Amino acid sequence: MENFQISAWAGAGKGVLRSLNLRSEEVERTILMFLVYTLTSVGLIWLELSTVGLFLDEFGADKMPFIYIASAFIGSGLGFVYSWMQKILPLRRTVVAVLGMMSVPLFLFRFGIGYENTKIAGISIAFITIFLMWLWVEACYVLNDLNTSITSNQLFNIREIKRTYPLVSSGYLVAGVVSGFSLPVLLYVVGLKNVTLVSGLMVATGSLLLYYLTEKYRQAFPETAHWTDDEDEDDQQEFTARKITGPLQKYAIPLVSFFVLAEVLYVLVDFQFYSQLEYQNPSDGASGASWIASFLGIYEGIQGLFQVATQWFASSRLVERIGVFVTAMILPAGIAILGVLTIGASLGQLVSVFIGLILLRFLDELLHYTLLETVSPVLFQPIPDNIRSGIQTLVNGVGEPLSCGVTGVGILIMLWVTDKVLPHQDEKDTLFHDNQSLVFIGAIVLLALVWLFVVWLIRSQYVGLLVKSAERGRLGVTDVDLKALKRAVVETLEKPGGEDEKRSCIELLTQIDPKNVGEVLAPILEVLPSALQRQSLETMLQHPNPEYLEAVRALSQQSLPPEVLALALRYIWLTEAEPNIDSLRPYLQPNVDPVVRGTAAALIMRRGDRQQKAEATNTLRQMLTHKLERERVMGTRALGEADYLQGLRLYIPNLLQDESLRVRCALLDVISSTHSEEYYPSLLRGLGYKSTREAALQAIVKLHNDAIPLLVYLAEDIHKSDLVRLQAWTALGQIGTVEAIDILVSNLMTAWGTTRRNILRILLKMPSEAGIEGILDRIGRSGLETLIEQELMFIGQIYAAMVDLSGVTTYGNFADRDASRGAPENDTAQLLQRALAGLEADAKERCFLLMKFLYPLDTVQAAAFNIASGQPSLVARGLEILDNTVDIAKKRSLINLLDQHSEREKLSNLSELMVYKPLSPSDRLRRLLELRHFLSDWTLACCFHLAREARWSLTAQQTLVCLQHPTGFVREAVLAYLKIASPRALLELLPRLQNDPDNLVSAQVEEMMAELGAGGKR
């Protein structure tokens, strides 16, 4: 019963993780980061709302533009400070120090608030303090978001962060709910002026939690400062060398305008909301400030609830359903419509301006931090990777802060103009304030309409860039707007242009939305060139849909090339409910092209009556026995489309021996299509020949899971060549089903050397990162780290062998060496050292392959390239890349191992994984042979050659096991060793080896038998 409860809890836990799209090893880091972000955000929101209450009550909303202007300089200044701190402190210290520095002024602000009557240069200390508090709140928001983003990027790799960061970032929305509803209670308990102390305590608590997090996962952070000066110069030169011209420039300008207008409207709505809130304040002094803060708290809590619900349950679904650009238009359209309604309702005295502004700000806040945040990454997608980050920095780091300051100046100008133009009696004139707000709302409506126009501009340029990206083959397929892409494909296919561009568009659309590709292609089939008609029909046949039957039927009535007509006939046959078989019979005539004739015969054999099937069978029989190669090829291909081969099965053995390679390759596809199990061995044999390898591979892949047992048997057969076994693993990767990935991952855990490397490469090459996600789902991050540690321990054994065998030489041990010959490369000890160096390089390559499952492929590849160069400056750069990317537990061991140290130094750096104990050369060689399953065939042979030349004894078990090795030259080396070490045992073993499959080994056996036999006679 207890076990049942435990399993039930475990199952429930897995269900929760699945619903949150999390893996178990990510839970702790995600929860801790969520708590850090939530705690600090709660403190900052408390501080912000209380600061707003104090500011509006004491100084009024007309001073707020100065806040906007001053905050424009905050972002760039803090970015500079943050960058400077990373140069002098390790990153894990920097992120904690930043949070700690955020909390310190919060405790000091409390003392400044109390000096209302004390002035400096005519300005009260309280005013200066509250002004600085608001600026510090804005600064803290920037720092907190930056800190959270950087820390998350260090704690989670590129694939983990897609799942975890939405949950982490929702901490701000949750904080809005918690802080909003709790603020009135907090004000009642501690008072408005003491909120800063509680806020400081919350931020300090968040910094302590972050300190614990960075210490527990310290391997995720680089140990040294982030960048060197040389690297900064190189990066700066690289960045400045990038140019934005042509279509990219036309796209970048409205893109920057989109985010600038979003910020401008946000500031204008924010200012008018606070202006009306100040005017609605029922009392003055501390009670008035508390009323404002309490109102804002309740408002923030209600708004937070809607934001959380929208972000978690609506944003991504809405984007998928209506598209990116319709979603992007919701906010400006909503602002414009609500603004117009507010103006009309206010002028008609139906609703007060304050109510309209509450609704306007609610809409802006709700959609600004949900829908807008969701569509923003997609808008950057068409921009090339090498300049995307630069444009994002331009938007977020320069455009938005600058627009905030410019808006502040614009508000001051508008306040001055309205004060001069609009009639009013005094500062408390209700009509004047309402009219002034209506002027601002009118400006907001106009800017919202401009924003809508900018979205339309982005959409038009977005379509053009999608087409260019598709033509160049560099567009990703995970984050594009599908509706915009379909419109782009239609526009490109309908207008005059090169076929290459149109073919790229069809391929991209097929890759993104294969099931609905007919929706785009069917209406334009008749106007496409014949080559594109063929490509389109082949694509549509992957997912035939009766909705497009009439379009294809109309196409088939035209004069078409044989290949296109054959595809059209097949599509009609597959999608028509009751096909007219008699309409296909005219295509069976001998004068019809073999492509169409074979297709018609195969289709009739599927659903015709006995007489019709007999007629079709006779047609195919004539084609299969025809003298012309094209007739036999097309007849063979037609067999694959027939449901039952019936009497035609008798021709398969002869066709397998056909003189035409095209016929044999076509027959392999037939065997796969018709699932002719008795001929499956022919598919496997086809992998062994260069001429039929590709066709056999494609045929086996078409069998999907049915081929898995055959492929596993072939891949695990150690007596097969490495090339054939590689083809078997490759076929499993191309099958790509859950069962195939299970086989690959399970063999990855037990395989070694070349096999492990091949499986890793195959998993990495699987489309849509199916292999990467498959291995992460099955063994997880911890499993990959274990595999990397295995490789590191193996490298440690290699270094131990290199060190212990470094003084060994067998150069003088060759008894039959000619004095004029015998170069040092003949030294078997040196041969073994070079073989071990090769094993080291292979193990390092596998480490880099394993890291590609955890980190961006291009980053790991860049590090590997720099380290492999051997140049000290490039090696240092490669190690720096790894230090700032890798976060495995044994990161330091890995980086020290890849550095340019001696083998002894690297051994000492691997002490936490293996303890090195010096051994004598002979003992070290025997230790190597105990690890024979991890050694390459050549290294194993070198071990026996060295033992032979150095006259070292090996154990009987090691010798006998290696004598049965599948590789011939290993057996040859063992026999040569036995000839010197134990001739008597060799004499007993030789008769068993006379029929060795390797010709060189069998010849060596015959020679030894003759020699030892002659020796016995003497």
Side-chain angles (χ1 to χ4, degrees):
M1 183 65 182
E2 183 178 352
N3 292 334
F4 174 78
Q5 290 178 341
I6 293 175
S7 62
W9 279 108
K14 290 181 180 178
V16 171
L17 291 181
R18 262 195 308 271
S19 65
L20 294 175
N21 195 23
L22 281 181
R23 294 193 175 102
S24 57
E25 56 203 7
E26 302 162 355
V27 172
E28 184 179 28
R29 286 172 290 159
T30 304
I31 291 176
L32 289 174
M33 273 304 303
F34 175 82
L35 290 176
V36 170
Y37 195 36
T38 303
L39 285 174
T40 53
S41 297
V42 166
L44 293 177
I45 293 173
W46 278 343
L47 180 65
E48 179 192 18
L49 299 183
S50 58
T51 302
V52 170
L54 287 169
F55 190 93
L56 294 181
D57 184 71
E58 294 287 340
F59 314 111
D62 57 338
K63 303 295 190 302
M64 286 180 61
F66 296 103
I67 296 287
Y68 300 139
I69 296 171
S71 64
F73 301 97
I74 294 294
S76 57
L78 290 177
F80 172 79
V81 172
Y82 205 107
S83 177
W84 172 76
M85 289 182 66
Q86 291 185 61
K87 292 182 179 180
I88 63 173
L89 290 175
L91 186 57
R92 64 190 177 89
R93 300 296 185 205
T94 301
V95 294
V96 177
V98 165
L99 271 192
M101 286 167 34
M102 283 168 52
S103 65
V104 172
L106 305 187
F107 296 102
L108 302 177
F109 286 145
R110 172 62 186 89
F111 301 101
I113 297 174
Y115 292 94
E116 293 90 348
N117 299 323
T118 306
K119 297 184 178 181
I120 298 177
I123 304 175
S124 69
I125 294 179
F127 174 78
I128 297 174
T129 302
I130 295 173
F131 187 84
L132 291 177
M133 282 173 61
W134 198 328
L135 285 182
W136 189 245
V137 167
E138 296 295 330
C140 285
Y141 276 133
V142 174
L143 288 175
N144 196 29
D145 291 342
L146 186 61
N147 221 42
T148 302
S149 176
I150 289 176
T151 307
S152 298
N153 279 317
Q154 292 296 136
L155 287 172
F156 306 103
N157 62 49
I158 189 68
R159 295 176 183 89
E160 293 172 336
I161 206 164
K162 292 179 181 179
R163 293 185 299 272
T164 59
Y165 196 69
L167 294 175
V168 173
S169 61
S170 66
Y172 176 78
L173 302 179
V174 175
V177 177
V178 174
S179 59
F181 288 123
S182 61
L183 183 58
V185 179
L186 186 67
L187 292 173
Y188 177 78
V189 174
V190 301
L192 180 63
K193 295 182 179 180
N194 293 320
V195 171
T196 59
L197 299 177
V198 184
S199 299
L201 185 62
M202 293 293 289
V203 177
T205 304
S207 67
L208 292 176
L209 189 58
L210 184 60
Y211 175 78
Y212 166 78
L213 182 60
T214 55
E215 285 298 311
K216 182 167 186 178
Y217 296 96
R218 62 186 305 167
Q219 74 272 9
F221 299 87
E223 293 291 336
T224 57
H226 199 281
W227 301 110
T228 63
D229 293 336
D230 292 338
E231 289 170 336
D232 279 340
E233 292 177 5
D234 294 342
D235 292 340
Q236 186 65 25
Q237 291 173 0
E238 181 184 2
F239 180 78
T240 54
R242 297 168 184 163
K243 302 295 183 182
I244 302 176
T245 57
L248 279 178
Q249 187 177 37
K250 293 180 181 179
Y251 184 76
I253 292 175
L255 182 63
V256 174
S257 302
F258 176 89
F259 291 98
V260 167
L261 283 168
E263 186 68 18
V264 169
L265 281 169
Y266 180 83
V267 172
L268 286 174
V269 172
D270 194 61
F271 169 73
Q272 273 305 300
F273 172 77
Y274 286 134
S275 297
Q276 283 292 322
L277 184 62
E278 176 206 358
Y279 184 68
Q280 297 295 325
N281 186 4
S283 55
D284 296 328
S287 59
S290 296
W291 179 87
I292 293 176
S294 298
F295 174 84
L296 289 175
I298 300 298
Y299 174 87
E300 188 75 26
I302 296 172
Q303 179 178 266
L305 286 174
F306 280 89
Q307 285 178 325
V308 170
T310 303
Q311 182 71 3
W312 286 0
F313 305 110
S315 293
S316 59
R317 293 176 176 85
L318 193 62
V319 172
E320 291 177 0
R321 179 160 297 187
I322 66 175
V324 171
F325 293 104
V326 177
T327 305
M329 290 179 177
I330 290 177
L331 179 54
I335 290 176
I337 293 171
L338 196 55
V340 171
L341 292 177
T342 300
I343 293 174
S346 299
L347 293 177
Q349 297 183 349
L350 299 176
V351 177
S352 68
V353 177
F354 181 56
I355 298 299
L357 280 168
I358 288 179
L359 297 175
L360 200 60
R361 188 176 189 270
F362 186 87
L363 177 71
D364 195 18
E365 286 271 348
L366 175 64
L367 301 185
H368 191 96
Y369 291 105
T370 53
L371 295 186
L372 201 62
E373 292 293 329
T374 302
V375 303
S376 294
V378 184
L379 297 179
F380 288 101
Q381 184 66 25
I383 300 175
D385 295 339
N386 61 334
I387 61 173
R388 186 183 302 158
S389 61
I391 293 181
Q392 285 181 296
T393 302
L394 177 67
V395 170
N396 300 324
V398 179
E400 291 182 353
L402 186 61
S403 62
C404 182
V406 172
T407 306
V409 175
I411 291 173
L412 288 176
I413 295 174
M414 289 183 68
L415 288 175
W416 181 81
V417 171
T418 53
D419 184 67
K420 297 296 183 182
V421 174
L422 296 177
H424 61 283
Q425 298 177 356
D426 53 35
E427 293 182 358
K428 296 187 179 295
D429 190 335
T430 303
L431 183 60
F432 167 73
H433 281 285
D434 287 346
N435 290 336
Q436 189 181 58
S437 294
L438 292 177
V439 171
F440 274 91
I441 293 174
I444 290 170
V445 170
L446 290 176
L447 288 174
L449 295 175
V450 174
W451 194 7
L452 281 171
F453 176 72
V454 168
V455 174
W456 180 84
L457 285 178
I458 292 176
R459 184 233 165 240
S460 62
Q461 297 300 324
Y462 182 92
V463 167
L465 282 179
L466 281 175
V467 175
K468 294 292 183 183
S469 301
E471 182 182 358
R472 295 167 187 167
R474 61 162 180 79
L475 181 63
V477 297
T478 56
D479 297 316
V480 298
D481 181 8
L482 189 56
K483 293 181 180 295
L485 178 61
K486 288 182 177 180
R487 287 193 296 268
V489 171
V490 172
E491 293 174 9
T492 305
L493 294 177
E494 288 180 343
K495 69 181 182 182
E499 288 190 13
D500 290 339
E501 182 180 1
K502 297 179 179 181
R503 184 177 295 107
S504 299
C505 287
I506 296 175
E507 290 174 356
L508 182 62
L509 184 61
T510 304
Q511 185 178 1
I512 294 176
D513 193 21
K515 293 184 179 180
N516 300 311
V517 69
E519 178 185 346
V520 175
L521 298 178
I524 58 175
L525 275 176
E526 296 186 22
V527 299
L528 292 176
S530 59
L532 296 182
Q533 287 175 338
R534 179 177 179 179
Q535 181 189 9
S536 300
L537 287 171
E538 288 174 345
T539 301
M540 292 169 63
L541 277 168
Q542 296 177 8
H543 300 279
N545 191 330
E547 293 182 12
Y548 317 123
L549 173 61
E550 294 306 320
V552 179
R553 193 194 303 278
L555 178 69
S556 67
Q557 304 302 322
Q558 300 179 359
S559 177
L560 299 173
E563 292 81 4
V564 178
L565 178 58
L567 291 170
L569 291 176
R570 189 178 303 133
Y571 192 93
I572 293 171
W573 184 267
L574 292 176
T575 55
E576 199 169 29
E578 296 181 0
N580 183 8
I581 296 177
D582 289 334
S583 65
L584 294 175
R585 296 180 68 182
Y587 295 113
L588 298 180
Q589 300 302 318
N591 60 340
V592 176
D593 190 277
V595 177
V596 180
R597 193 185 337 140
T599 299
L603 295 177
I604 291 175
M605 288 183 64
R606 286 191 176 190
R607 296 172 66 177
D609 57 28
R610 180 175 298 181
Q611 182 180 356
Q612 292 166 339
K613 287 183 178 180
E615 187 177 354
T617 301
N618 186 55
T619 299
L620 288 178
R621 183 181 293 111
Q622 294 174 359
M623 296 179 69
L624 295 175
T625 57
H626 205 281
K627 293 182 179 180
L628 293 179
E629 181 195 37
R630 189 165 186 266
E631 291 277 350
R632 298 199 307 277
V633 170
M634 296 307 166
T636 305
R637 290 181 180 175
L639 293 179
E641 301 173 14
D643 282 343
Y644 303 101
L645 296 182
Q646 299 173 351
L648 297 174
R649 189 180 298 272
L650 298 174
Y651 293 92
I652 291 181
N654 291 333
L655 292 173
L656 284 172
Q657 305 298 324
D658 196 281
E659 61 182 11
S660 170
L661 175 62
R662 294 175 62 198
V663 171
R664 298 198 303 272
C665 290
L667 188 60
L668 295 177
D669 185 71
V670 171
I671 294 171
S672 172
S673 300
T674 57
H675 293 269
S676 302
E677 297 184 7
E678 66 270 29
Y679 295 108
Y680 283 176
S682 298
L683 298 180
L684 299 183
R685 283 195 297 271
L687 293 174
Y689 300 100
K690 183 178 180 180
S691 58
T692 57
R693 183 171 298 136
E694 185 63 30
L697 182 63
Q698 293 178 3
I700 290 173
V701 170
K702 284 178 64 175
L703 291 174
H704 297 292
N705 287 346
D706 292 345
I708 290 179
L710 299 172
L711 293 172
V712 171
Y713 173 78
L714 185 63
E716 294 180 350
D717 187 353
I718 59 175
H719 297 284
K720 297 294 183 181
S721 68
D722 287 343
L723 180 58
V724 172
R725 297 175 67 193
L726 172 60
Q727 296 303 316
W729 294 124
T730 302
L732 284 169
Q734 291 186 11
I735 289 172
T737 59
V738 173
E739 293 78 7
I741 296 177
D742 285 339
I743 295 294
L744 288 171
V745 174
S746 62
N747 278 273
L748 176 67
M749 302 298 292
T750 56
W752 195 261
T754 303
T755 300
R756 174 175 282 189
R757 181 195 63 192
N758 290 338
I759 294 176
L760 287 172
R761 287 177 175 174
I762 289 166
L763 287 169
L764 286 170
K765 289 179 180 178
M766 292 180 69
S768 303
E769 296 189 344
I772 295 174
E773 292 300 325
I775 197 171
L776 289 172
D777 286 336
R778 286 159 179 81
I779 66 173
R781 178 191 181 92
S782 57
L784 286 168
E785 289 195 30
T786 300
L787 294 179
I788 294 175
E789 290 175 12
Q790 287 178 2
E791 299 290 350
L792 296 180
M793 288 188 285
F794 177 61
I795 294 175
Q797 294 292 341
I798 294 174
Y799 289 149
M802 287 180 169
V803 170
D804 290 344
L805 297 172
S806 59
V808 176
T809 178
T810 60
Y811 180 62
N813 293 342
F814 288 100
D816 58 348
R817 186 184 307 282
D818 190 295
S820 62
R821 297 172 62 245
E825 56 265 22
N826 289 332
D827 187 350
T828 54
Q830 292 301 315
L831 288 177
L832 179 57
Q833 289 281 358
R834 287 197 289 271
L836 291 173
L839 288 181
E840 176 198 6
D842 291 342
K844 287 180 179 178
E845 181 187 3
R846 292 193 295 271
C847 285
F848 281 110
L849 288 173
L850 287 166
M851 284 189 282
K852 288 181 179 180
F853 287 88
L854 297 173
Y855 311 107
L857 301 178
D858 54 348
T859 302
V860 177
Q861 191 62 38
F865 175 80
N866 282 279
I867 292 171
S869 68
Q871 300 181 23
S873 60
L874 294 180
V875 171
R877 181 181 287 271
L879 295 176
E880 178 74 8
I881 292 172
L882 287 184
D883 191 21
N884 286 277
T885 303
V886 175
D887 60 351
I888 61 175
K890 299 298 185 291
K891 179 173 77 171
R892 297 261 59 87
S893 298
L894 174 65
I895 290 178
N896 290 328
L897 181 145
L898 296 172
D899 206 349
Q900 294 179 314
H901 298 307
S902 66
E903 282 81 10
R904 289 187 180 274
E905 291 175 318
K906 292 179 180 179
L907 268 176
S908 63
N909 290 327
L910 290 171
S911 57
E912 60 178 335
L913 287 170
M914 61 162 285
V915 178
Y916 166 65
K917 294 181 180 179
L919 298 175
S920 65
S922 59
D923 287 340
R924 179 56 66 184
L925 188 69
R926 283 188 285 273
R927 171 62 179 157
L928 267 181
L929 288 175
E930 290 176 6
L931 301 172
R932 57 186 173 273
H933 298 293
F934 304 99
L935 303 181
S936 66
D937 298 346
W938 175 239
T939 306
L940 200 56
C942 287
C943 289
F944 281 94
H945 285 306
L946 177 58
R948 173 176 60 86
E949 292 296 332
R951 303 299 196 270
W952 292 338
S953 63
L954 303 175
T955 66
Q957 181 187 10
Q958 293 171 345
T959 306
L960 292 175
V961 169
C962 292
L963 194 59
Q964 302 172 7
H965 199 277
T967 304
F969 61 76
V970 175
R971 301 195 298 274
E972 187 181 357
V974 177
L975 289 173
Y977 164 76
L978 282 173
K979 181 180 178 182
I980 300 297
S982 182
R984 181 177 301 175
L986 177 62
L987 192 59
E988 296 178 0
L989 292 171
L990 285 176
R992 307 177 190 175
L993 302 173
Q994 281 183 297
N995 298 321
D996 194 279
D998 190 292
N999 293 331
L1000 292 177
V1001 176
S1002 60
Q1004 182 188 27
V1005 169
E1006 293 295 332
E1007 181 182 349
M1008 287 183 171
M1009 289 183 68
E1011 182 179 346
L1012 292 176
K1017 290 178 181 179
R1018 284 194 299 269

